[in-house]
Amino acid sequence: HMRRIFFNSIQPPPVARGAGDEGAEPPFGLGYEEIDEFGNPVPGTFQDVSVFDPARPTICLPLGPGNTPVAEKWQLINLAGEDHNFHMHQTKFRLVSVDRVEGTRTPNNGVLHDNVPVRHASGTCNTVADWRNGACVTRPVVVEIPFAIAGDYVYHCHILEHEDGGMMARIRVRRSQ
């Protein structure tokens, strides 16, 4: 299976805003689910887009038998109307597929990256449910991430305003049993 990471702004609840909130941007967040070999969500794995919670990891992953490295494939889905940039600490990743902007080229020949652009959606998807219902068209990026050392890894949008606004998560890689 594969992991799917959702990038989006978190829409504020429909309540009256206070004085001075008129220009406030909604917070940013990441969501998560696992998908099977057919691209279907694995029941019980969905976590809606939310602001970073430093008290808990989003994902827990064991190393391979005998604490050998394990490689993961992640599908990055940007539901927002603005671009984001996926970045991971403590390891680098390979691009498996990426939507290219006309006239540009992203190296995809085994080069290890620590960040990659994730282009904005076309249409309006305020939620993952909107995306599932076809309200927007996205350009998924698929990466393969090798994890070789137990510990916590942080991944986030590499645009500082977005990272500081909550578009960050943590994966805990643990020793195999």
Side-chain angles (χ1 to χ4, degrees):
H1 69 274
M2 180 183 298
R3 299 183 196 274
R4 182 181 283 153
I5 309 300
F6 297 102
F7 293 71
N8 209 356
S9 297
I10 298 170
Q11 300 305 310
V15 296
R17 292 181 168 214
D21 287 347
E22 294 79 21
E25 289 288 323
F28 296 97
L30 295 172
Y32 167 81
E33 70 185 355
E34 295 178 30
I35 53 176
D36 65 20
E37 65 272 16
F38 305 108
N40 300 314
V42 174
T45 64
F46 177 73
Q47 296 176 29
D48 206 354
V49 175
S50 62
V51 173
F52 177 58
D53 178 358
R56 69 171 182 82
T58 301
I59 303 168
C60 288
L61 164 74
L63 289 170
N67 294 317
T68 56
V70 62
E72 292 251 324
K73 283 194 178 158
W74 290 14
Q75 183 183 62
L76 311 173
I77 305 285
N78 184 0
L79 303 177
E82 62 184 302
D83 293 343
H84 293 293
N85 196 311
F86 175 75
H87 174 69
M88 177 164 272
H89 290 244
Q90 286 102 326
T91 191
K92 295 187 181 202
F93 52 84
R94 287 181 177 77
L95 296 176
V96 175
S97 70
V98 65
D99 181 55
R100 293 182 181 15
V101 175
E102 182 87 23
T104 66
R105 188 169 156 239
T106 304
N108 197 18
N109 55 357
V111 172
L112 292 173
H113 300 265
D114 72 353
N115 68 77
V116 64
V118 185
R119 291 181 57 204
H120 64 277
S122 299
T124 303
C125 281
N126 293 321
T127 65
V128 173
D130 289 345
W131 173 71
R132 292 192 204 287
N133 292 327
C136 66
V137 175
T138 60
R139 297 162 188 89
V141 173
V142 178
V143 296
E144 183 179 76
I145 308 169
F147 293 100
I149 300 171
D152 285 357
Y153 295 68
V154 175
Y155 59 96
H156 57 86
C157 180
H158 212 234
I159 299 170
L160 188 59
E161 174 189 2
H162 300 175
E163 173 191 354
D164 288 351
M167 192 170 271
M168 176 184 289
R170 184 169 51 127
I171 178 170
R172 174 158 293 157
V173 178
R174 59 180 172 75
R175 296 169 39 105
S176 61
Q177 301 299 327

